[in-house]
Amino acid sequence: MQKIAEAFQGNIDSTTKVLDIGAGNGYISRYLQSKFGCKIHCADIMNYLEHDFPFSQITGESKLAFTDSYFDVAIIIDTLHHMNVATQAAMLQEATRVAKKVIIFDTERTAMAMVLDHIMSKIQSIHMPVPCTHKSRMGWEKMFTELGFEFKEVKVKKEWLYPMQHLCFVVSKKLDKKIHLRIRQKVDGMWITKKIINTFNKVFSVGNRPVFKLVCIYFSAHFLLLLNKTVIHDGWCVYPLVLFKKYDALWNLYFNQAKLYNFY
């Protein structure tokens, strides 16, 4: 389990809200909670838990009863190879819906891995499905690409005498092209606004005088509206804020608004 914790380092901390998909008896969840201090909710097709965690059952359609981006991280540890290929894809789609990112830790496909997994799974529960749909590194990368995911591999060191090799990936949904465009518009729009304000400062020595600053922002805002109405459609609320603060607050507020709406 130390390998799992090392692979998850940097993605989970005490503030992270975690969903453990395929949590089994909850032993690994308990270890990770004690290691990172995070809050963990467990999910599986049946309640195998031997430790006290909130639990949700995964339905036959691989559905999870949570709203979009409800969790910061979903973890799937040695679980996906217990599903057929179609269910794997459905589960990954659902995991990336309910969590901002998904960490997959799974055994690489080898004959030894499949034999040992069958034995260990049946020891844990006679009812646990064992289709042995393990994948190689290339197999996972192909699936992620076909599903349109962004992914990054986290290298897992293989112990000399340990018979299996594990793979770890951090996966997330690619942003919709329209959302990318809205982010770009906001960034470009704010860049133009700052340029206009800086120019006014240089030419007219506006300095920190709030009235002149408001005039600068007012005209730059209308200029941006002429270029593209979507750039500052929610920007009018910032005008009172910049009257008595540095105009960098205008820039910061836009990015804070973007975070609230999960634009990035």
Side-chain angles (χ1 to χ4, degrees):
M1 283 192 292
Q2 186 179 348
K3 280 187 181 182
I4 298 172
E6 288 173 357
F8 290 4
Q9 196 76 41
N11 289 295
I12 296 177
D13 57 31
S14 59
T15 64
T16 310
K17 187 157 59 168
V18 179
L19 174 66
D20 187 353
I21 298 173
N25 59 19
Y27 186 66
I28 295 176
S29 297
R30 185 166 176 260
Y31 173 79
L32 293 175
Q33 185 169 266
S34 64
K35 179 79 174 176
F36 295 108
C38 54
K39 292 182 179 179
I40 297 183
H41 189 108
C42 293
D44 213 322
I45 55 171
M46 291 176 62
N47 191 345
Y48 304 108
L49 288 176
E50 297 173 7
H51 300 279
D52 187 21
F53 284 101
F55 175 81
S56 296
Q57 188 169 6
I58 302 170
T59 66
E61 298 80 26
S62 299
K63 294 296 182 184
L64 296 163
F66 304 102
T67 56
D68 294 359
S69 300
Y70 185 82
F71 294 94
D72 299 310
V73 174
I75 56 175
I76 311 178
I77 303 169
D78 282 332
T79 296
L80 290 169
H81 60 255
H82 292 287
M83 307 174 187
N84 62 47
V85 175
T87 306
Q88 284 178 346
M91 192 73 261
L92 287 172
Q93 292 278 23
E94 188 69 352
T96 55
R97 180 187 69 79
V98 302
K100 295 169 187 173
K101 59 183 171 183
V102 179
I103 307 176
I104 297 161
F105 190 93
D106 213 291
T107 312
E108 188 171 17
R109 184 181 181 88
T110 64
M112 176 67 74
M114 289 186 283
V115 170
L116 290 177
D117 180 64
H118 193 280
I119 295 169
M120 289 187 292
S121 296
K122 291 305 178 184
I123 289 173
Q124 184 174 344
S125 173
I126 194 67
H127 302 293
M128 187 174 289
V130 193
C132 292
T133 49
H134 301 71
K135 284 182 170 55
S136 64
R137 178 179 285 101
M138 289 182 63
W140 284 120
E141 290 176 351
K142 181 175 182 289
M143 173 171 271
F144 299 150
T145 303
E146 288 173 349
L147 292 172
F149 293 157
E150 292 181 345
F151 61 91
K152 177 183 177 182
E153 184 179 1
V154 178
K155 294 294 183 182
V156 180
K157 185 179 178 182
K158 186 181 184 301
E159 298 296 333
W160 186 52
L161 294 175
Y162 190 69
M164 296 183 287
Q165 174 64 49
H166 283 89
L167 301 172
C168 182
F169 296 92
V170 180
V171 177
S172 60
K173 266 189 177 178
K174 282 185 179 177
L175 284 177
D176 184 81
K177 288 182 179 179
K178 290 182 180 178
I179 297 177
H180 272 298
L181 178 61
R182 292 175 74 181
I183 297 170
R184 187 69 259 165
Q185 287 170 336
K186 282 180 177 289
V187 173
D188 291 344
M190 292 310 307
W191 181 83
I192 294 169
T193 303
K194 290 190 79 173
K195 283 290 183 183
I196 292 172
I197 293 172
N198 288 335
T199 303
F200 267 80
N201 271 335
K202 289 177 182 177
V203 175
F204 300 107
S205 300
V206 172
N208 287 319
R209 284 173 285 179
V211 175
F212 285 100
K213 200 174 294 182
L214 180 61
V215 171
C216 295
I217 296 167
Y218 180 81
F219 281 109
S220 62
H222 278 277
F223 174 68
L224 292 172
L225 279 172
L226 289 173
L227 289 178
N228 190 328
K229 290 183 180 181
T230 63
V231 173
I232 61 160
H233 69 281
D234 56 350
W236 302 99
C237 61
V238 296
Y239 292 162
L241 178 67
V242 297
L243 276 172
F244 302 104
K245 293 188 178 181
K246 291 181 180 180
Y247 51 72
D248 279 346
L250 182 65
W251 176 269
N252 293 333
L253 186 60
Y254 266 100
F255 275 86
N256 288 336
Q257 287 175 334
K259 285 180 182 178
L260 285 175
Y261 291 104
N262 294 319
F263 285 163
Y264 67 90

